Amino acid sequence: QVQLVESGGGLVQPGGSLRLSCAASGSIFSINRMDWYRRAPGKQRELVAFITTGGTTNYGNSVKGRFTISRDNAKNTVYLQMNSLKPEDTAVYYCYALITTTSQPMASYWGPGTQVTVSS
């Protein structure tokens, strides 16, 4: 069984920063891609950023230059550093990963989400 657990969400003023973390645990053999998605009220889920095992990154246009994704492979953890936050960044942020376990082939896993609210 694999679990993804996000942390670091909260309330922040416009222009502020937050750092999200997502730790994967369980019978993990390997982790391929790790992503951050978000869903704002009334909107579709949006890919924020992803990072491959080798460190290749990609970002959604709305966060380029403000957000940075990174990962610690030894800790099975992915991070999202969010700077210059705007009210439109308000959303539930979800961690996603492609994981191969010791007994199952590669599959998709999601965290429960963490709320980020940008407001004065």
Side-chain angles (χ1 to χ4, degrees):
Q1 189 76 359
V2 171
Q3 282 191 322
L4 298 179
V5 179
E6 302 99 338
S7 61
L11 173 64
V12 63
Q13 292 187 342
S17 298
L18 280 177
R19 189 192 193 208
L20 305 183
S21 299
C22 171
S25 62
S27 303
I28 296 170
F29 178 75
S30 66
I31 302 178
N32 193 322
R33 177 170 147 168
M34 302 187 82
D35 303 12
W36 285 99
Y37 283 82
R38 67 185 182 187
R39 176 172 281 164
K43 294 187 177 181
Q44 291 187 335
R45 186 175 60 198
E46 173 189 18
L47 174 64
V48 177
F50 71 77
I51 184 168
T52 67
T53 306
T56 300
T57 60
N58 199 0
Y59 297 90
N61 287 332
S62 61
V63 306
K64 281 182 181 177
R66 300 188 297 123
F67 291 11
T68 302
I69 189 171
S70 61
R71 65 190 282 176
D72 185 332
N73 291 330
K75 295 181 178 179
N76 292 333
T77 299
V78 62
Y79 306 96
L80 185 68
Q81 177 66 43
M82 305 186 293
N83 299 328
S84 303
L85 282 161
K86 305 175 181 179
E88 50 263 44
D89 294 317
T90 296
V92 178
Y93 283 71
Y94 298 92
C95 177
Y96 165 89
L98 285 170
I99 297 174
T100 301
T101 72
T102 54
S103 60
Q104 297 291 327
M106 185 183 294
S108 297
Y109 294 88
W110 290 89
T114 185
Q115 177 70 47
V116 171
T117 302
V118 185
S119 175
S120 55

